């Protein structure tokens, strides 16, 4: 295929020759387009050598055949990758501004597959204007391969490192996979993951040991089938850079409920893996509670909303609702009761009596129970394999 690689001015530009090399090795023709700032970080000679084609970077260069290179390149390219994508180029595209070779080409390219690999300092990544621009571009079909977390060139730690060239190639392959082999292509699916933290005071909360691994594996399995995944997750160490997974971070059950009910109506289904706290403290305080002395302390808890049951009441024809159940005894009877009470179509049952299943471990063994009375028992598998099985049995039938 013919791939245009757009490069903007961030330190991660030094990784782009490696990206271009991987694309060429995979059999693609690559045309590099760089901003003036990008050429402060990576040289024209390097980009021209690895791509084997002259670099395009100056709208009005005498060497251009004409000054409509951005239009002819738009026709030439099958897909475009911008790596690294600075806050600046993201903002310009979101606002429809074309003031140099790359930004004019991006405007012209708007109907073709576009992948961006943002890279910037953590505070810039979290700036509300940048978040808005990214959300807007995503809503127009631009894929983002999310930055990773780690040491940044500015000397700080945090989210903002450009995804590795291998991850960008994988995201591009995902974007370019023929739609007909992806059964969930263009379909949106909601996933909840991780624990919830229920606040007690300024420094304490009630939580649980859920790692988020199962939920993130389900999100990856859905994305591999082409789905647009809305991943609503409680606090977790998990990261994902997969194109097609849109992450919404929440802390407590009520925030998770708000996000889930907002997103569910546009989805064909929901898979709720989150270990939602059933109760939260009745009162929270903004300061740190002091010790109360010998007589101890009583914390009154009130019930949290049930997200699965709420989605069960909202469910429309054509939507599939999948819940999880973690049981220790009378497993199948309890799980079936849960499925009916919460109006789910499937319940994925985890038994804590199974070795290798449950929180924190890499593996799982489940029973997938359907409303029609089926109960499919899996072998002990990796969480990702279990996730593939759940997607296949619940959403691809
Ligand atoms: N769940 C939810 N909201 C809650 C509690 C649970 O969405 N407040 C979802 C979980 O994500 C899971 C399913 O409901 O998909 C089952 O959760 P579980 O805690 O096992 O069930 P409970 O209804 O809490 O039943 P019990 O505690 O009696 O086992």
């Amino acid at each position: 295929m013919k791939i245009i690689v757009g490069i903007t001015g961030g330190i991660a530009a030094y990784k782009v020759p490696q990206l271009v090399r991987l694309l060429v090795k995979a059999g693609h023709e690559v045309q590099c387009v760089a901003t003036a700032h990008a050429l402060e970080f990576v040289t024209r000679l390097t980009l021209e050598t690895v791509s084997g084609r002259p670099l395009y970077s100056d709208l009005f260069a005498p060497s251009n055949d004409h000054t409509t290179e951005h239009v002819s390149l738009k026709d030439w390219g099958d897909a475009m990758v911008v790596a690294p994508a600075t806050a600046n180029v993201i903002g310009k595209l979101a606002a429809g501004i074309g003031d140099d070779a790359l930004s004019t080409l991006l405007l012209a390219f708007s109907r073709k597959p576009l992948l961006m690999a943002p890279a910037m300092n953590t505070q810039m990544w979290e700036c509300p204007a940048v978040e808005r621009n990214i959300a807007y571009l995503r809503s127009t079909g631009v894929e983002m391969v999310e930055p990773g977390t780690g040491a940044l060139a500015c000397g700080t730690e945090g989210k903002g490192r450009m995804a590795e060239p291998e991850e960008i190639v994988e995201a591009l392959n995902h974007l370019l996979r023929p739609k007909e082999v992806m059964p969930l292509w263009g379909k949106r699916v909601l996933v909840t993951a991780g624990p919830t933290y229920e606040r007690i005071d300024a420094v304490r909360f009630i939580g649980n040991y859920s790692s988020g691994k199962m939920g993130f594996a389900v999100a990856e399995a859905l994305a591999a089938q082409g789905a647009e995944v809305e991943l609503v997750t409680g606090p977790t160490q998990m990261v994902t850079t997969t194109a097609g997974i849109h992450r919404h971070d929440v802390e407590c059950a009520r925030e998770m409920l708000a996000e889930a009910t907002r997103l569910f109506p546009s989805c064909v289904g929901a898979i709720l893996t989150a270990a939602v706290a059933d109760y939260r403290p009745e009162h929270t305080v903004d300061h740190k509670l002091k010790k109360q002395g010998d007589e101890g302390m009583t914390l009154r808890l009130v019930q949290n909303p049930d997200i699965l049951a709420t989605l069960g009441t909202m469910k429309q024809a054509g939507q599939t609702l999948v819940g999880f159940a973690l049981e220790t005894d009378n497993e199948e009877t309890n799980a079936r009761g849960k499925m009916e009470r919460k109006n789910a179509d499937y319940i994925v049952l985890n038994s804590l009596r199974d070795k290798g299943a449950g929180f924190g471990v890499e593996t799982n063994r489940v029973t997938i129970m359907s409303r029609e009375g089926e109960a499919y028992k899996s072998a002990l598998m990796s969480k990702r394999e279990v996730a593939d099985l759940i997607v296949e049995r619940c959403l691809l039938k």
Side-chain angles (χ1 to χ4, degrees):
M1 280 197 174
K2 296 187 171 81
I3 311 289
I4 300 171
V5 175
I7 307 128
T8 65
I11 180 64
Y14 84 90
K15 293 184 181 173
V16 171
Q18 169 69 355
L19 170 66
V20 173
R21 218 182 56 85
L22 290 173
L23 292 170
V24 170
K25 217 169 134 193
H28 299 298
E29 282 180 69
V30 178
Q31 169 68 53
C32 292
V33 180
T35 63
H37 288 165
L39 296 177
E40 299 286 332
F41 295 94
V42 59
T43 70
R44 169 183 294 272
L45 183 62
T46 309
L47 294 170
E48 292 189 342
T49 307
V50 287
S51 68
R53 295 174 66 92
L55 178 79
Y56 174 49
S57 68
D58 181 356
L59 263 181
F60 302 106
S63 61
N64 290 356
D65 298 345
H66 38 65
T67 51
T68 55
E69 208 94 350
H70 58 290
V71 178
S72 51
L73 266 183
K74 176 263 297 175
D75 294 332
W76 179 86
D78 296 310
M80 198 167 163
V81 183
V82 181
T86 54
N88 186 43
V89 77
I90 291 167
K92 282 205 278 193
L93 182 58
I97 294 171
D99 63 355
D100 62 7
L102 179 60
S103 54
T104 47
L105 173 59
L106 280 167
L107 296 184
F109 210 77
S110 66
R111 290 185 192 283
K112 290 188 159 185
L114 169 62
L115 176 72
M116 290 185 132
M120 63 196 78
N121 158 278
T122 311
Q123 269 85 47
M124 293 169 76
W125 173 252
E126 288 171 355
C127 164
V130 174
E131 284 181 342
R132 178 202 56 201
N133 290 341
I134 286 184
Y136 172 69
L137 289 181
R138 275 184 160 146
S139 76
T140 66
V142 175
E143 281 296 341
M144 297 281 167
V145 48
E146 291 227 348
T149 301
L152 300 177
C154 51
T156 56
E157 286 262 334
K159 189 161 178 174
R161 288 164 68 120
M162 187 177 82
E164 293 302 325
E166 290 76 9
E167 290 170 328
I168 298 174
V169 172
E170 205 183 303
L172 186 67
N173 288 341
H174 177 268
L175 185 65
L176 297 178
R177 222 166 112 184
K179 298 174 180 59
E180 54 278 13
V181 301
M182 301 180 89
L184 294 177
W185 180 267
K187 298 192 172 151
R188 204 169 282 280
V189 182
L190 172 70
V191 176
T192 65
T196 63
Y197 284 3
E198 309 298 328
R199 194 184 159 99
I200 299 172
D201 68 7
V203 295
R204 303 178 182 96
F205 60 85
I206 297 175
N208 59 64
Y209 288 123
S210 169
S211 60
K213 283 184 181 149
M214 195 60 236
F216 277 66
V218 167
E220 299 284 345
L222 288 164
Q225 300 294 343
E228 292 293 318
V229 184
E230 303 295 347
L231 174 62
V232 180
T233 176
T236 155
Q237 302 289 325
M238 300 295 296
V239 288
T240 175
T241 54
T242 301
I245 299 183
H246 313 302
R247 176 178 182 152
H248 310 268
D249 285 293
V250 296
E251 187 172 293
C252 65
R254 285 179 298 172
E255 285 171 12
M256 191 174 272
L257 176 75
E259 280 299 81
T261 52
R262 178 176 74 80
L263 294 162
F264 187 54
S266 64
C267 294
V268 297
I271 304 183
L272 304 195
T273 75
V276 184
D278 288 328
Y279 295 93
R280 66 173 185 277
E282 184 173 28
H283 301 293
T284 61
V285 292
D286 288 337
H287 56 273
K288 182 177 169 226
L289 287 171
K290 300 299 282 177
K291 264 195 286 300
Q292 310 239 318
D294 288 346
E295 67 276 19
M297 171 182 172
T298 302
L299 201 58
R300 202 183 129 70
L301 303 179
V302 293
Q303 199 162 17
N304 260 333
D306 190 309
I307 300 163
L308 180 57
T310 308
L311 299 190
T313 64
M314 294 169 64
K315 193 174 67 174
Q316 301 287 319
Q319 285 184 308
T320 305
L321 190 53
V322 184
F324 270 62
L326 183 63
E327 306 288 345
T328 47
D329 24 44
N330 274 336
E331 288 99 328
E332 292 206 10
T333 316
N334 283 340
R336 196 160 288 288
K338 226 168 249 184
M339 174 157 55
E340 269 155 33
R341 236 179 12 256
K342 302 191 187 195
N343 196 24
D345 302 290
Y346 296 90
I347 283 277
V348 179
L349 166 64
N350 277 295
S351 169
L352 264 192
R353 285 199 277 191
D354 274 328
K355 272 208 159 57
F359 285 177
V361 293
E362 296 301 327
T363 51
N364 207 351
R365 179 201 297 276
V366 297
T367 305
I368 303 174
M369 301 173 61
S370 75
R371 208 51 185 266
E372 286 76 45
E374 269 180 287
Y376 178 88
K377 285 187 197 321
S378 82
L380 185 67
M381 302 191 277
S382 72
K383 285 192 171 168
R384 175 55 201 268
E385 286 168 329
V386 171
D388 285 331
L389 189 71
I390 293 167
V391 171
E392 190 193 310
R393 296 198 73 89
C394 304
L395 290 185
L396 297 182
K397 273 201 158 172

